[in-house]
Amino acid sequence: MKKLILHSILALTLTGAAFGQPGGGPGGPPGEDPCKTERQTYCKDSRHGHESDRCLREYISKLSETCKNHVNEMMSRFEKFRSACAADEEKYCKNVERGPAHMRCMRENESKLSASCKAALPPPPPGNRM
Protein backbone atom coordinates (compact mmCIF):
# COMPACT_ATOMS: atom_id res chain seq x y z
CA MET A 1 0.00 0.00 0.00
CA LYS A 2 2.85 2.40 0.85
CA LYS A 3 4.38 1.66 -2.52
CA LEU A 4 1.11 2.52 -4.30
CA ILE A 5 0.87 5.78 -2.38
CA LEU A 6 4.49 6.61 -3.14
CA HIS A 7 4.09 5.93 -6.86
CA SER A 8 0.81 7.82 -7.13
CA ILE A 9 2.06 10.97 -5.49
CA LEU A 10 5.48 10.71 -7.09
CA ALA A 11 3.80 10.66 -10.49
CA LEU A 12 2.17 13.95 -9.64
CA THR A 13 5.36 15.44 -8.31
CA LEU A 14 7.48 14.76 -11.32
CA THR A 15 4.90 15.95 -13.82
CA GLY A 16 4.44 19.16 -11.94
CA ALA A 17 0.77 18.52 -11.33
CA ALA A 18 1.27 18.68 -7.61
CA PHE A 19 4.70 20.08 -7.01
CA GLY A 20 5.12 22.15 -10.14
CA GLN A 21 7.18 25.24 -9.97
CA PRO A 22 5.59 28.32 -11.50
CA GLY A 23 9.04 29.56 -12.50
CA GLY A 24 9.81 26.44 -14.52
CA GLY A 25 12.10 24.96 -11.91
CA PRO A 26 15.85 25.07 -11.60
CA GLY A 27 17.64 25.78 -14.84
CA GLY A 28 14.59 26.29 -17.03
CA PRO A 29 12.55 29.19 -18.34
CA PRO A 30 9.19 29.85 -16.68
CA GLY A 31 6.57 27.24 -17.51
CA GLU A 32 9.01 24.90 -19.25
CA ASP A 33 9.54 21.26 -18.27
CA PRO A 34 13.23 20.89 -17.29
CA CYS A 35 13.02 17.29 -18.51
CA LYS A 36 11.30 17.98 -21.83
CA THR A 37 14.24 16.82 -23.96
CA GLU A 38 14.73 13.66 -21.89
CA ARG A 39 11.01 12.83 -22.05
CA GLN A 40 11.16 13.15 -25.84
CA THR A 41 14.42 11.22 -26.12
CA TYR A 42 13.92 8.35 -23.68
CA CYS A 43 10.22 8.32 -22.88
CA LYS A 44 8.42 9.37 -26.07
CA ASP A 45 6.30 6.20 -26.06
CA SER A 46 5.32 6.61 -22.41
CA ARG A 47 2.02 8.23 -21.49
CA HIS A 48 2.28 11.56 -19.70
CA GLY A 49 2.18 11.17 -15.93
CA HIS A 50 3.20 8.14 -13.93
CA GLU A 51 4.47 6.16 -16.93
CA SER A 52 6.65 9.01 -18.15
CA ASP A 53 8.00 9.68 -14.66
CA ARG A 54 8.84 6.01 -14.11
CA CYS A 55 10.67 6.09 -17.42
CA LEU A 56 12.73 9.10 -16.33
CA ARG A 57 13.72 7.29 -13.14
CA GLU A 58 14.83 4.28 -15.22
CA TYR A 59 17.12 6.54 -17.26
CA ILE A 60 18.30 8.69 -14.33
CA SER A 61 21.99 8.06 -15.14
CA LYS A 62 21.49 9.42 -18.67
CA LEU A 63 19.56 12.57 -17.74
CA SER A 64 21.01 16.05 -17.98
CA GLU A 65 22.07 17.61 -14.70
CA THR A 66 19.13 20.03 -14.92
CA CYS A 67 16.63 17.20 -15.32
CA LYS A 68 18.33 15.06 -12.67
CA ASN A 69 18.22 17.98 -10.25
CA HIS A 70 14.53 18.50 -11.03
CA VAL A 71 13.70 14.82 -10.48
CA ASN A 72 15.67 14.75 -7.21
CA GLU A 73 14.08 17.98 -5.99
CA MET A 74 10.57 16.69 -6.75
CA MET A 75 11.30 13.44 -4.91
CA SER A 76 12.62 15.40 -1.93
CA ARG A 77 9.51 17.59 -1.87
CA PHE A 78 7.32 14.53 -2.03
CA GLU A 79 9.09 12.93 0.93
CA LYS A 80 8.67 16.12 2.99
CA PHE A 81 4.99 16.28 2.04
CA ARG A 82 4.41 12.62 2.83
CA SER A 83 6.09 12.93 6.20
CA ALA A 84 4.34 16.17 7.18
CA CYS A 85 0.88 15.16 5.95
CA ALA A 86 0.53 11.46 6.78
CA ALA A 87 -1.86 11.99 9.70
CA ASP A 88 -3.88 14.64 7.84
CA GLU A 89 -4.20 12.43 4.76
CA GLU A 90 -5.47 9.59 6.93
CA LYS A 91 -7.94 11.86 8.70
CA TYR A 92 -9.39 13.84 5.78
CA CYS A 93 -8.70 11.98 2.53
CA LYS A 94 -8.36 8.32 3.53
CA ASN A 95 -10.99 7.04 1.09
CA VAL A 96 -10.06 9.28 -1.84
CA GLU A 97 -8.33 7.64 -4.79
CA ARG A 98 -4.64 8.60 -5.08
CA GLY A 99 -3.78 11.09 -7.77
CA PRO A 100 -5.36 14.43 -8.72
CA ALA A 101 -8.55 13.73 -6.71
CA HIS A 102 -6.49 13.04 -3.60
CA MET A 103 -4.52 16.27 -3.92
CA ARG A 104 -7.76 18.15 -4.54
CA CYS A 105 -9.13 16.65 -1.31
CA MET A 106 -6.08 17.87 0.59
CA ARG A 107 -6.49 21.38 -0.82
CA GLU A 108 -10.22 21.39 -0.03
CA ASN A 109 -9.36 20.55 3.58
CA GLU A 110 -6.41 22.95 3.78
CA SER A 111 -7.98 25.05 6.56
CA LYS A 112 -8.16 21.91 8.76
CA LEU A 113 -4.62 20.64 8.09
CA SER A 114 -1.81 20.78 10.62
CA ALA A 115 0.62 23.68 10.28
CA SER A 116 3.43 21.39 9.10
CA CYS A 117 1.22 19.84 6.43
CA LYS A 118 -0.02 23.23 5.22
CA ALA A 119 3.61 24.32 4.86
CA ALA A 120 4.44 21.20 2.81
CA LEU A 121 1.27 21.27 0.68
CA PRO A 122 2.25 22.10 -2.88
CA PRO A 123 0.51 24.89 -4.75
CA PRO A 124 -2.14 23.94 -7.29
CA PRO A 125 -0.87 23.59 -10.85
CA PRO A 126 -0.74 26.84 -12.86
CA GLY A 127 -4.15 27.78 -14.21
CA ASN A 128 -5.87 25.69 -11.52
CA ARG A 129 -5.70 28.01 -8.52
CA MET A 130 -8.43 27.50 -5.97
Side-chain angles (χ1 to χ4, degrees), residues 22-104:
E32 189 172 305
D33 177 4
C35 297
K36 182 179 180 179
T37 301
E38 288 84 347
R39 286 183 202 280
Q40 292 171 342
T41 302
Y42 303 114
C43 307
K44 65 182 176 211
D45 295 328
S46 299
R47 288 183 294 181
H48 187 70
H50 177 68
E51 214 176 276
S52 175
D53 298 335
R54 184 175 11 154
C55 175
L56 285 178
R57 289 190 310 273
E58 288 174 13
Y59 286 95
I60 195 84
S61 66
K62 295 182 179 188
L63 304 180
S64 68
E65 284 306 308
T66 300
C67 182
K68 249 187 239 185
N69 290 341
H70 177 72
V71 170
N72 289 331
E73 182 179 334
M74 295 304 103
M75 291 173 70
S76 174
R77 284 183 179 188
F78 164 71
E79 287 300 323
K80 287 177 187 173
F81 169 77
R82 187 173 72 120
S83 174
C85 296
D88 292 301
E89 286 181 300
E90 180 70 20
K91 187 173 183 179
Y92 301 111
C93 302
K94 179 181 181 177
N95 297 317
V96 178
E97 182 180 342
R98 297 294 170 174
H102 187 266
M103 192 55 61
R104 189 169 38 256

Side-chain angles (χ1 to χ4, degrees), residues 1-11 78 81-82 89-90 98-99 102:
M1 182 64 165
K2 283 185 178 183
K3 202 171 195 177
L4 174 63
I5 293 168
L6 175 66
H7 287 285
S8 296
I9 294 179
L10 188 55
F78 164 71
F81 169 77
R82 187 173 72 120
E89 286 181 300
E90 180 70 20
R98 297 294 170 174
H102 187 266

Side-chain angles (χ1 to χ4, degrees), residues 93 96 99-109 128 130:
C93 302
V96 178
H102 187 266
M103 192 55 61
R104 189 169 38 256
C105 174
M106 293 296 288
R107 285 196 192 97
E108 288 169 356
N109 288 286
N128 193 19
M130 294 183 98

